[in-house]
C-alpha cells in the first residue's frame, strides 16, 4: 500500500496520507528567534526541545488545496521523527526492495531516503534564492544534499543494512511470533532489536492514546513501521533440490537467514567493546535459519554471538593484531553485569552453551579467556539444578582455539572438529518445528491470507549456542555456519532425509553473505575467510582479498569509525545534547507539569560519602609497601562514616623521562592499585564492614586514577566510562594531562578527574590553558563532557604556586600566616578572575603547603634550586548536591609532595520508573475527559490546545502563552536595548524586579558631580524629590556631600569598602559604559583592625567565587580599597573594611561588589615584637614582581 506525502508551506505542516486517513504534523516554528533588525532567523543554540502537533484524521475532512505533493511515486511508511539541531525531520521510506519471504508476504528491505533531500526545498517559501538557503552554501538543489544535516543519517539508513516489515513483528524470532498480530503492538516488540525505537517512540505513545477504532485504522494503514539492522536474505530451493523430498510438492522451498543486530550497545569495532552495566554486549547478533516448505512445514534454528561480556577496551592501532587490550574492572565489579547478561539469555533461550574461539597464545586474548572462565565458574547459572531427571547446568562453556586448530595442513577444514565438542549439546537443544494448517493459498484478501492461517508447534528449541571470538566476525561466522548445518542435518535425520550438494552450496553462500554484511556494519569491510565459507576451501584469491580487507579495516577503524559511531548514536538518540521530538497534546502537557510538581512521589534521595585523595609520588615506587592508612583511612569525625566511593589519583607514578612520556606502562599502576585495595580493605575488615571492589582505573603515563566502591553499591552504578586527555607538548606527550572516570550512581551523574598541569612558577597561563583543554577536549562516549555531570570532583597536582618570594613564603609558614599565603595563591587569584575552574569551589585550606619537601623530612627544599613552597596538590568540587566535610593532608614523607585528601557528602537522586509510569497513566486518564481534543471526524478544536505552538503568519513565531515565551526560546536571556533619557541618568536599581509591583520608586535616577571643600571632586547622587539614591540603604538619610559610602548587604557579611580613587567612577556608573575585563590582582591584605583575633580557631569558610567573578564581568571601579601601607599617614576605619566572619557559610555578594573570596584566618597572631606578621606585611612583595598581573593594589 503506497502512502502520499503533502507539504503546506505556511503555516508549516506535513501530511502522511493513506487512501482513507492521514497523519497531520504541524511543525513548531518557534525555532526562529528575532534578531536586532526584527527579522526572524534560525538560532545557533541546540538546547531547546522541538515540539510539534500531530493529528490522525479522515482524509476527506482535510482541506488539501494549500498542500503540494512531495513524492509522486508515494512512500512506504515512516520510521519516525528526529531532531537534528533546531530542526525536526520526518523520516520516510521512499523506496523498497523485497529481499526475503520467511512465509509469504512478510518481509521487505528498504532503501531509505529522506524525501527532503531529493524532492523539495528544505525550507520553501522562507528564502528567495539558493544562496540564502541553510545548508546550501550557494549550491543548487542537486548539490544541496552534501551539506544537509541529514546526509550522514541518510547514508547509514540507505546503506543496505536496515530492514522493515509492515506485516508482523520483525524484532522477534519465529518461535516468539507464531501468532502474528499487529505489526506495531508496543507490547510485543523487542526493543533490543528495534533500531527506530527512538524515532518512533513519540508516535507509539500517540497511537496508544487513540481510541480502539482509530488505533485499528492506523495499524491497517501501515504508516508506522518497525526496523531492524543486520542481514536478511532468502534463497529459493527448487523442488528437485529440496531436502524434504518425502513431502510431495511442485512449488519451491525457501531458505532464509535473519540476523538481528542489537541496538542496546551498538557501535563500531573499537568504540564498542565488552559489556555495560545493564548486561548488554557489543556486536550482539541473533541469527536465525529458517527453512520453509510449501506444505506448510517450517524449521527454525537460532544462535547468538556477542562480545566477551566483561568490561574491556581496545585502542586503535596501525598494525593488525597489535591493538592493546585493557580490562577496566575488577572481577568483583564485573560479576553483576556478567550475571545480568546470561540471566537475560537464559530467560529468552533456555540453557546457554558458550563457545569461545579466542586464542590460547595471543596476548590479550589469553587474559580475556581467563577472566571469561573465572566469571562463568562463579556465575549463579553455572550451579547445577535438580529436576526429576539428572541434574543439569544452565550455563556451560567450551573453549575451541580456532587459530591453533586450523594452523595445520588441513587449514580451515579443521574447524569442523568443533562438531565433536558440541554434538551432544546440539542434540539436546533441538530446534523449532511448526506446521501451518488450512493455509488459504491464492486468496485475494491479504488480511485473511495473513491472519487466518494457524500454526501448530511440533517441537521447540530448548537452548542456544553463544559463539564469540575477539571481534565476533570472521571466526564466529564460520563456526556459526557449521552450527546451522548441524541443526538442519539433525532435523533431516529425524525425518530420514538427506540434503543435496546444491542445497549445502546455497546454505554456505548465504552464510558467507551474512558474515560480510555483519562485518561491514561493525568493522567497515566484509568478513575474512568467506572464500572458505562459500567454497569449502581457501584459494589464493581469497587470501589476497583477506589482506586487502585487513588494510581497509585499519584505515576505517583509525580514521572513519568515530564519525560512524556518532551517526549511530544520533540515530538511537544517545548524544548528550540530543532531545526527542515532543508531540504536543494538551493532556500530555498537563501530565508533564504535574509530574514535575509531584516528583517527590517517585524520586528518593540518598546521601553517600565520597573520599578523594591525590598524591604526587615523584617517581618513587620503592615505598609501595609503606603504610598508607594515614592518608587513605583517616579518622573522619565522631560518626566515622566509611565512604561509599573511594577515588585515588596519582601523579608521577614513573619518572617522566623522554622515553616514558610517549607510552604508558600499566604495571606500576597495578601495583599501586593493589596497595590501595589492601589498605582500605584491611580497615574495613578491622571494623567488620563490607569490602571495596575496584570499579575502574585509568592511566596516562605517570598520572592514574583508581576508583573503588563498596560491593553493595555496584547494583546502583551504571555507565562507567573512562577517558584521558594529553596536554604535554601541545597534546603530543602524556607527561601532563588528565585521567577521568564517570558513572551514573542511581540517577545522578558523577565525574572524577585527576590532572597534572604544567609546571613552573610563572606558567600560570599555561596551566589555565591546560585546564581549558581538558575541560573542553576530554570526551566520554556519546560526546559527554566533564560539564555534562551533576557532580564533578577534580583532584591532582595542579602546580599553581604562591606569588611571593621564597624568603617571605617560608617566614609566613613559620608564623602560620596561611591567610596571606592564600591571598597570593595563583589558583585562588585565577579562579577569582574567572580564568580557571569557573563555578568550582574549594574548601578552606588549613594545612601547610604540600610542595616541595626534601624526601624523608618535613623540611622544605634545601637544594640549590630552593623552590618556593606552594599548594600544588588541590581538590576542587562542583555540584549543588555536594558538601565537603574534610580537607587535609597526611604525613607520608617518601615523596617531595604531601598527599592531600577530602571527604564529601553527596546527595544522589533515584527515580522509580515504574511508579512514575503508573502516576503518569493515572494523571492522563483523569485529565483526558476534561480536555477537548482534535478529533479525526472534524470536531472543532479549542484555541487553547494549540496556543503557543502554531504560527499565525509566515515568518512570525507563535503567539506567546503562559507555557511558552518565544523571546526566551533556546535558553537565551532577555536583553533590553533601551537607552537612558539623558547621559547623566541610569536605571533605578531600587525598583522591584517585577514591573507590576506597586512602588513609589522612579524608573530613572540622575548622577551628578559636586565639589568638596578643599577642591577634591567627588561623585554623588543628586536624587530628585521622593527618589532615593540607589547606593543608599533605606534606613539612612541622603548624604549631602563628602565621600559616598556604598553599603553592600549579604546574608552573612556587611561590607562598606571605600572607593579606590577620587577620580574613578563609582559602581553607579552610566549604563552606556561597558565594564572593562578584570585584571587578576591580590585582594587587599587584612589590616590589624579588620581581622579576627589570630588565636581564634580555623573556620571552614567556603571560598566560592561568585558567578559574576568567574565570568569576569566587572568594572575596575568596583575593586575594594587597598590596604594602607605602614607609615603612609592613612588609616582605615573598621566601618570601611569588610569584617571576616567565622561562620561556616558560603558568602553570596551582590553582583555590584568585587567578588572577593573569604580569606582563611591565619594561625598565630598577636604582637611578635616586630618580627611577626606586621613586619611581613610591611615589606615589598619581591616574589610577585615576575608576574605583573599578580601585583597587589597600591595606595594612590
Amino acid at each position: 500500500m503506497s502512502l502520499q506525502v503533502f507539504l503546506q508551506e505556511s503555516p508549516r505542516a506535513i501530511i502522511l496520507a493513506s487512501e482513507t486517513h492521514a497523519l497531520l504534523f504541524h511543525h513548531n516554528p518557534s525555532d526562529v528567534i528575532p534578531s536586532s533588525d526584527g527579522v526572524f532567523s534560525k538560532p545557533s543554540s541546540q538546547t531547546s526541545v522541538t515540539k510539534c502537533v500531530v493529528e490522525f484524521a479522515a482524509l476527506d475532512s482535510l482541506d488539501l488545496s494549500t498542500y503540494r505533493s512531495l513524492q509522486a511515486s508515494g512512500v512506504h511508511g515512516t520510521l519516525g521523527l528526529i531532531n537534528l539541531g533546531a530542526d525536526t525531520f520526518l523520516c520516510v521510506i521512499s523506496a523498497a526492495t523485497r529481499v526475503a519471504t520467511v512465509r509469504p508476504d512478510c518481509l521487505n528491505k528498504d532503501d531509505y531516503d529522506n524525501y527532503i533531500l531529493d524532492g523539495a526545498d528544505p525550507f520553501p517559501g522562507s528564502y528567495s534564492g539558493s544562496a540564502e538557503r541553510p545548508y546550501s552554501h550557494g549550491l543548487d538543489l542537486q548539490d544541496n544534499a552534501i551539506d544537509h544535516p541529514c546526509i550522514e543519517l541518510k547514508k547509514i539508513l540507505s546503506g543496505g543494512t536496515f530492514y522493515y516489515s509492515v506485516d508482523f513483528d520483525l524484532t522477534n524470532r519465529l518461535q516468539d511470533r507464531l501468532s502474528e498480530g499487529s505489526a506495531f503492538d508496543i507490547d510485543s516488540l523487542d526493543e533490543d532489536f528495534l533500531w527506530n525505537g527512538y524515532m518512533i517512540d513519540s508516535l507509539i505513545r500517540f497511537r496508544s492514546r487513540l481510541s480502539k477504532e482509530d488505533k485499528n485504522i492506523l495499524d491497517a494503514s501501515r504508516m508506522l513501521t518497525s526496523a531492524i539492522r543486520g542481514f536478511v536474505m532468502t534463497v529459493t530451493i527448487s523442488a528437485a533440490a529440496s531436502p524434504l523430498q518425502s513431502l510431495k510438492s511442485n512449488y519451491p522451498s525457501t531458505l532464509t537467514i535473519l540476523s538481528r543486530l542489537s541496538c542496546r550497545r551498538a557501535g563500531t569495532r573499537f568504540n564498542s567493546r565488552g559489556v555495560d552495566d545493564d548486561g548488554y554486549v557489543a556486536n550482539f547478533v541473533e541469527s536465525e535459519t529458517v527453512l520453509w516448505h510449501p506444505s506448510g512445514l517450517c524449521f527454525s534454528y537460532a544462535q547468538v554471538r556477542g562480545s566477551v561480556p566483561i568490561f574491556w577496551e581496545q585502542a586503535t592501532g596501525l598494525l593488525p593484531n597489535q591493538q592493546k587490550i585493557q580490562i577496566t574492572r575488577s572481577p568483583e565489579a564485573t560479576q553483576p553485569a556478567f550475571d545480568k547478561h546470561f540471566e537475560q539469555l537464559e530467560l529468552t533461550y533456555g540453557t546457554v552453551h558458550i563457545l569461545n574461539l579466542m586464542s590460547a597464545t595471543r596476548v590479550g586474548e589469553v587474559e580475556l579467556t581467563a577472566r571469561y572462565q573465572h566469571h562463568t565458574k562463579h556465575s549463579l547459572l553455572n550451579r547445577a539444578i535438580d529436576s526429576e531427571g539428572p541434574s543439569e547446568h544452565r550455563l556451560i562453556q567450551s573453549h575451541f582455539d580456532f587459530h591453533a586448530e586450523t594452523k595445520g595442513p588441513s587449514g580451515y577444514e579443521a574447524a569442523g572438529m568443533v562438531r565433536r565438542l558440541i554434538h551432544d549439546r546440539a542434540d539436546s537443544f533441538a530446534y523449532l518445528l511448526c506446521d501451518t494448517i488450512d493455509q488459504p493459498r491464492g486468496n485475494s484478501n491479504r488480511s485473511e491470507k495473513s491472519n487466518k492461517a494457524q500454526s501448530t508447534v511440533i517441537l521447540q528449541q530448548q537452548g542456544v549456542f553463544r559463539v564469540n571470538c575477539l571481534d565476533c566476525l570472521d571466526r564466529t561466522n564460520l563456526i556459526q555456519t557449521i552450527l546451522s548445518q548441524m541443526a538442519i542435518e539433525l532435523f533431516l535425520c529425524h525425518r530420514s532425509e538427506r540434503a543435496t550438494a546444491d542445497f549445502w552450496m546455497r546454505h554456505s553462500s548465504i552464510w558467507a553473505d551474512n558474515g560480510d554484511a555483519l562485518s561491514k556494519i561493525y568493522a567497515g569491510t566484509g568478513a575474512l575467510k568467506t572464500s572458505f565459507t562459500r567454497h569449502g576451501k581457501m584459494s589464493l584469491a581469497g587470501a589476497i582479498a583477506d589482506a586487502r580487507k585487513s588494510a581497509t579495516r585499519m584505515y576505517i577503524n583509525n580514521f572513519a569509525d568515530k564519525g560512524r559511531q556518532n551517526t549511530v548514536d544520533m540515530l538511537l538518540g544517545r548524544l548528550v545534547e540530543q532531545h526527542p521530538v515532543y508531540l504536543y497534546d494538551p493532556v500530555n502537557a498537563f501530565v508533564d507539569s504535574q509530574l514535575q510538581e509531584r516528583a517527590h512521589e517517585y524520586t528518593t534521595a540518598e546521601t553517600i560519602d565520597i573520599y578523594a585523595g591525590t598524591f604526587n609520588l615523584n617517581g618513587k615506587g620503592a615505598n609501595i609497601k609503606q603504610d598508607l592508612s594515614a592518608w587513605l583511612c583517616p579518622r573522619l569525625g565522631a560518626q566515622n562514616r566509611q565512604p561509599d566511593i573511594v577515588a585515588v589519583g596519582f601523579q608521577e607514578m614513573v619518572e617522566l623521562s623522554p622515553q616514558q612520556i610517549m607510552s604508558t606502562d600499566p604495571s606500576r599502576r597495578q601495583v599501586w592499585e593493589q596497595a590501595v585495595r589492601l589498605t582500605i580493605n584491611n580497615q574495613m575488615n578491622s571494623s567488620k564492614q563490607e569490602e571495596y571492589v575496584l570499579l575502574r582505573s585509568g592511566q596516562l603515563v605517570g598520572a592514574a586514577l583508581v576508583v573503588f566502591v563498596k560491593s553493595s553499591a555496584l547494583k546502583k552504578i551504571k555507565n562507567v566510562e573512562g577517558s584521558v586527555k594529553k596536554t604535554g607538548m601541545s597534546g603530543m606527550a602524556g607527561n601532563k594531562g588528565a585521567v577521568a572516570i564517570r558513572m551514573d550512581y542511581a540517577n545522578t551523574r558523577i565525574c572524577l578527574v585527576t590532572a597534572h598541569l604544567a609546571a613552573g612558577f610563572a606558567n600560570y597561563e599555561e596551566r589555565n590553558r591546560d585546564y581549558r583543554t581538558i575541560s573542553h577536549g576530554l570526551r566520554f562516549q556519546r560526546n559527554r563532557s566533564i560539564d555534562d555531570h551533576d557532580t564533578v570532583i577534580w583532584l591532582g597536582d595542579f602546580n599553581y604556586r604562591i606569588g611571593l618570594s621564597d624568603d617571605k613564603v617560608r617566614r609566613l609558614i613559620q608564623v602560620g600566616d596561611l591567610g596571606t599565603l592564600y591571598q597570593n595563591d595563583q589558583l585562588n587569584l585565577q579562579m577569582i578572575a574567572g580564568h580557571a575552574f569557573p563555578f568550582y569551589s574549594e574548601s578552606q585550606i588549613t594545612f601547610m603547603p604540600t610542595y616541595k619537601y626534601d624526601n624523608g623530612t618535613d623540611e622544605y627544599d634545601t637544594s640549590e634550586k630552593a623552590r618556593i613552597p606552594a599548594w600544588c596538590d588541590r581538590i576542587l568540587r562542583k555540584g549543588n548536591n555536594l558538601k565537603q566535610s574534610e580537607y587535609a593532608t597526611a604525613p607520608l614523607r617518601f615523596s617531595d609532595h604531601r598527599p592531600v585528601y577530602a571527604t564529601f557528602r553527596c546527595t544522589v537522586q533515584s527515580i522509580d520508573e515504574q511508579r512514575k509510569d503508573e502516576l503518569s497513566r493515572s494523571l492522563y486518564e483523569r485529565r483526558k475527559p476534561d480536555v477537548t481534543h482534535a478529533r479525526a471526524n472534524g470536531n472543532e478544536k479549542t484555541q487553547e490546545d494549540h496556543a503557543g505552538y502554531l504560527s499565525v503568519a509566515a515568518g512570525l513565531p507563535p503567539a506567546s502563552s503562559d507555557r511558552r515565551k518565544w523571546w526566551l526560546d533556546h535558553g537565551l536571556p532577555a536583553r533590553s536595548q533601551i537607552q537612558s533619557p539623558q547621559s547623566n541618568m541610569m536605571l533605578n536599581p531600587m525598583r522591584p524586579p517585577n514591573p507590576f509591583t506597586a512602588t513609589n520608586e522612579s524608573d530613572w535616577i540622575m548622577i551628578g558631580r559636586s565639589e568638596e571643600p578643599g577642591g577634591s571632586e567627588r561623585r554623588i547622587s543628586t536624587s530628585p524629590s521622593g527618589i532615593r539614591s540607589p547606593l543608599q540603604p533605606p534606613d539612612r538619610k541622603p548624604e549631602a556631600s563628602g565621600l559616598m559610602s556604598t553599603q553592600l548587604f549579604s546574608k552573612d557579611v556587611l561590607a562598606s569598602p571605600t572607593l579606590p580613587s577620587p577620580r574613578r567612577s563609582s559602581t553607579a556608573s552610566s549604563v552606556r559604559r561597558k565594564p572593562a575585563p578584570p585584571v587578576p590582582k591580590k585582594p587587599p591584605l587584612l589590616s590589624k583592625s579588620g581581622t579576627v583575633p589570630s588565636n581564634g580557631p580555623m573556620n571552614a569558610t567556603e571560598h566560592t567565587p561568585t558567578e559574576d567573578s568567574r565570568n569576569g564581568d566587572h568594572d575596575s571601579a568596583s575593586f575594594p580599597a587597598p590596604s594602607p601601607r605602614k607609615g603612609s599617614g592613612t588609616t582605615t576605619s573598621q566601618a570601611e573594611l569588610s569584617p571576616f566572619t567565622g561562620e561556616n557559610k558560603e558568602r553570596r555578594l551582590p553582583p555590584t561588589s568585587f567578588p572577593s573570596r573569604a580569606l582563611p584566618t591565619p594561625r598565630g597572631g598577636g604582637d611578635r615584637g616586630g618580627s611577626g606578621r606586621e613586619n611581613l606585611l610591611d615589606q615589598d612583595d619581591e616574589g610577585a614582581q615576575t608576574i605583573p598581573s599578580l601585583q597587589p593594589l597600591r595606595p594612590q
Side-chain angles (χ1 to χ4, degrees), residues 686-906:
S686 62
S687 57
K688 297 182 179 180
Q689 300 188 45
E690 59 179 317
E691 293 187 347
Y692 289 96
V693 297
L694 177 64
L695 181 66
R696 187 183 173 109
S697 63
Q699 182 179 358
L700 176 64
V701 186
L705 178 63
V706 294
V707 178
F708 293 86
V709 298
K710 288 182 177 179
S711 56
S712 60
L714 288 173
K715 59 184 179 182
K716 304 177 183 178
I717 297 175
K718 296 182 180 180
N719 301 325
V720 182
E721 300 172 15
S723 183
V724 299
K725 184 65 179 179
K726 298 178 181 179
T727 59
M729 296 176 61
S730 300
M732 298 292 293
N735 60 316
K736 295 295 188 289
V739 181
I741 294 175
R742 58 95 51 207
M743 72 187 77
D744 292 339
Y745 196 108
N747 293 97
T748 299
R749 300 164 298 175
I750 300 176
C751 183
L752 306 165
V753 186
T754 185
H756 194 189
L757 307 184
F761 180 85
N763 292 338
Y764 62 93
E765 288 290 353
E766 186 174 351
R767 288 187 275 276
N768 294 346
R769 284 194 297 270
D770 284 353
Y771 161 75
R772 291 191 292 269
T773 299
I774 296 169
S775 179
H776 296 95
L778 190 147
R779 296 283 171 168
F780 300 99
Q781 293 182 12
R782 299 168 188 169
N783 207 31
R784 288 191 185 98
S785 67
I786 295 175
D787 291 334
D788 293 325
H789 293 82
D790 306 307
T791 301
V792 183
I793 299 176
W794 282 68
L795 55 146
D797 181 1
F798 300 158
N799 261 321
Y800 285 94
R801 310 303 172 89
I802 297 175
L804 298 174
S805 65
D806 181 55
D807 292 340
K808 177 166 291 188
V809 169
R810 293 175 186 255
R811 280 182 287 172
L812 289 171
I813 291 174
Q814 289 179 358
V815 299
D817 190 356
L818 301 184
T820 303
L821 293 174
Y822 189 74
Q823 292 177 39
N824 294 274
D825 177 70
Q826 292 178 354
L827 178 57
N828 175 36
L829 298 174
Q830 295 304 306
M831 291 177 68
I832 288 176
H835 295 162
F837 296 97
F839 308 107
Y840 283 85
S841 303
E842 182 183 29
S843 284
Q844 178 183 353
I845 296 181
T846 59
F847 48 86
M848 295 299 174
T850 59
Y851 171 86
K852 177 182 194 298
Y853 289 89
D854 291 335
N855 290 339
T857 71
D858 288 329
E859 297 292 331
Y860 288 103
D861 189 14
T862 58
S863 66
E864 295 181 358
K865 294 183 178 180
R867 290 183 175 85
I868 302 174
W871 285 298
C872 290
D873 309 279
R874 310 287 275 271
I875 300 177
L876 307 178
R877 73 184 189 277
K878 182 174 72 172
N880 296 329
N881 61 337
L882 204 60
K883 181 179 180 181
Q884 189 165 344
S885 53
E886 298 285 340
Y887 195 23
T889 186
L892 300 182
R893 299 178 176 84
F894 59 84
S895 173
D896 59 354
H897 289 250
R898 290 292 181 266
V900 176
Y901 67 88
T903 58
F904 304 90
R905 302 294 303 278
C906 180

Side-chain angles (χ1 to χ4, degrees), residues 471-654:
D471 297 321
C472 303
L473 296 176
D474 314 317
R475 291 173 277 181
T476 298
N477 194 73
L478 197 155
I479 295 300
Q480 284 196 330
T481 304
I482 298 175
L483 292 176
S484 176
Q485 183 175 346
M486 291 177 63
I488 296 177
E489 288 175 347
L490 180 63
F491 162 59
L492 296 178
C493 180
H494 289 168
R495 296 185 58 86
S496 301
E497 305 268 9
R498 290 180 61 87
T500 63
D502 179 71
F503 175 83
W504 291 126
M505 183 192 70
R506 295 175 184 271
H507 176 269
S508 299
S509 179
I510 196 173
W511 267 99
D513 292 337
N514 176 72
D516 282 338
L518 296 178
S519 180
K520 287 178 182 178
I521 295 173
Y522 192 58
T525 70
L528 308 182
K529 307 174 182 65
T530 53
S531 176
F532 177 83
T533 305
R534 292 181 190 276
H535 309 294
K537 61 180 179 179
M538 194 67 182
S539 63
L540 177 61
I544 296 175
D546 286 354
R548 184 182 69 253
K549 291 175 183 177
S550 296
T552 306
R553 280 186 184 181
M554 180 273 295
Y555 172 81
I556 293 175
N557 297 157
N558 282 275
F559 304 106
D561 272 359
K562 286 188 177 180
R564 294 201 304 147
Q565 180 71 50
N566 188 73
T567 305
V568 170
D569 290 336
M570 179 193 303
L571 174 64
L572 299 175
R574 294 175 180 175
L575 296 180
V576 175
E577 67 275 6
Q578 197 170 1
H579 300 281
V581 177
Y582 181 88
L583 295 182
Y584 174 70
D585 175 9
V587 181
N588 201 41
F590 168 79
V591 172
D592 290 342
S593 63
Q594 287 295 305
L595 287 176
Q596 293 180 3
E597 295 179 5
R598 300 173 62 175
H600 62 279
E601 297 184 24
Y602 56 86
T603 303
T604 56
E606 175 188 359
T607 301
I608 64 172
D609 294 273
I610 301 177
Y611 169 94
T614 178
F615 195 4
N616 186 312
L617 300 173
N618 193 27
K620 306 298 180 183
N623 297 287
I624 294 177
K625 295 183 179 180
Q626 182 170 337
D627 184 15
L628 305 177
S629 58
W631 171 44
L632 299 175
C633 305
R635 294 186 177 274
L636 304 177
Q639 296 182 352
N640 196 26
R641 294 173 57 96
Q642 299 300 327
D644 299 274
I645 301 175
V646 175
V648 181
F650 295 102
Q651 303 83 42
E652 297 188 30
M653 298 181 67
V654 297

